[in-house]
């Protein structure tokens, strides 16, 4: 009986665990998109500021 319990325990311990979900991947993608949007907005703001400065001269 002890050997059967030991064998079953070893069998369950040897089984592969299910893969963990890739939680960080979607968050990383969203962050990269946000960085791209930020760069675009910053470019537009810089261009607007330059136009204002040129018009003021």
């Amino acid at each position: 009986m002890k050997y059967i319990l030991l064998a079953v325990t070893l069998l369950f311990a040897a089984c592969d665990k299910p893969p963990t979900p890739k939680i960080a991947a979607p968050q990383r993608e969203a962050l990269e998109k946000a960085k791209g949007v930020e760069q675009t907005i910053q470019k537009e703001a810089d261009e607007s500021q330059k136009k204002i400065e040129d018009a003021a001269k």
Side-chain angles (χ1 to χ4, degrees):
M1 185 70 173
K2 290 181 186 178
Y3 295 113
I4 293 173
L5 289 174
L6 180 62
V8 170
T9 304
L10 289 175
L11 178 67
F12 285 129
C15 292
D16 290 336
K17 295 180 181 178
T20 57
K22 302 289 182 184
I23 295 172
Q27 293 173 348
R28 190 175 312 117
E29 290 173 11
L31 179 62
E32 292 299 323
K33 286 180 184 178
K35 285 181 180 178
V37 170
E38 179 185 12
Q39 289 174 353
T40 303
I41 292 172
Q42 186 63 40
K43 256 188 206 179
E44 293 294 325
D46 290 343
E47 289 175 8
S48 296
Q49 185 67 29
K50 186 176 178 183
K51 286 179 184 178
I52 291 170
E53 288 174 0
D54 290 343
K57 288 183 182 180

